[in-house]
Amino acid sequence: MEDLGRRLGAWNATVNSHFQKLWSFNSAPRTQFEPSLRDAARIAEERAGPGPREEGYQLLAEVCDFYARADESTRAELTRAVKASDALAVLCIWFGGKACQELEATGRADWLRRAVTAAALVDTGPDYRDWYLTLGEVWRTAVRHGLDPRGAFAAAAAIAPEQRDHGGGSTRKMLAEFETSAF
């Protein structure tokens, strides 16, 4: 995972460098803000080349499956390893979105479980607000496919860290109470 984190970090820096040259907050057309942002991001990734993101998604699918079965000390070690790399922590959020896409395409419950487990793995870091939106989409997608997401959220809550290292709050509580959230 450390090697993947380094390679992701280098690739992300290259993408960001291209993006900075392509897009500016102040020069984005007002009515085209979001499309211009997406276009610049797509072009920046194209210029940076394929990068290791897909490899990371495959690894995270395996890690989430393992994390869900692991004992508490192994889970804590995995969480520390992922959170030690900003690139891996961000990849977990992206993986949550990717798992949601896979859930949408296949209706398979394993993608529901992986998306929610990824939130527990990274302790809803680096930004719990991004996770909140991602988890909301996961919940809605599961329901659209006739799946009851409560079990996956409860299982992830049971293995999530009780208290976040930074920023306060509790990933465990967020997952356990997601159904009653404003989302």
Side-chain angles (χ1 to χ4, degrees):
M1 284 197 329
E2 289 176 12
D3 176 59
L4 177 63
R6 280 191 294 278
R7 290 185 292 124
L8 271 168
W11 183 74
N12 289 344
T14 302
V15 170
N16 191 46
S17 173
H18 289 297
F19 181 81
Q20 297 293 327
K21 295 172 189 166
L22 291 165
W23 194 84
S24 167
F25 182 84
N26 293 326
S27 66
R30 189 174 201 181
T31 60
Q32 294 296 309
F33 185 84
E34 189 175 343
S36 72
L37 179 70
R38 273 191 297 232
D39 288 345
R42 181 185 45 76
I43 293 167
E45 285 186 14
E46 287 172 2
R47 289 183 181 174
R53 189 175 6 199
E54 288 301 321
E55 177 187 345
Y57 289 158
Q58 291 173 1
L59 177 62
L60 279 175
E62 294 173 19
V63 168
C64 285
D65 291 346
F66 178 72
Y67 186 87
R69 302 183 310 270
D71 61 47
E72 188 174 342
S73 66
T74 302
R75 287 193 310 269
E77 187 176 320
L78 284 169
T79 294
R80 275 191 299 277
V82 170
K83 289 172 75 173
S85 166
D86 289 341
L88 287 175
V90 168
L91 183 68
C92 283
I93 291 176
W94 294 346
F95 178 76
K98 172 74 169 175
C100 188
Q101 290 172 350
E102 292 293 331
L103 173 60
E104 181 69 59
T106 67
R108 290 182 16 206
D110 58 335
W111 288 109
L112 164 61
R113 183 183 39 75
R114 287 177 181 138
V116 181
T117 301
L121 166 67
V122 76
D123 197 16
T124 58
D127 191 329
Y128 74 92
R129 295 165 295 193
D130 289 335
W131 271 112
Y132 181 69
L133 295 175
T134 297
L135 291 169
E137 272 309 303
V138 167
W139 186 285
R140 291 174 13 164
T141 300
V143 169
R144 273 196 309 275
H145 280 280
L147 299 172
D148 183 351
R150 289 179 292 190
F153 275 72
I159 60 174
E162 178 64 39
Q163 198 67 28
R164 287 190 199 105
D165 289 339
H166 305 298
S170 168
T171 296
R172 182 174 292 179
K173 183 177 179 185
M174 178 186 188
L175 293 170
E177 297 176 0
F178 197 85
E179 182 179 15
T180 61
S181 72
F183 198 96

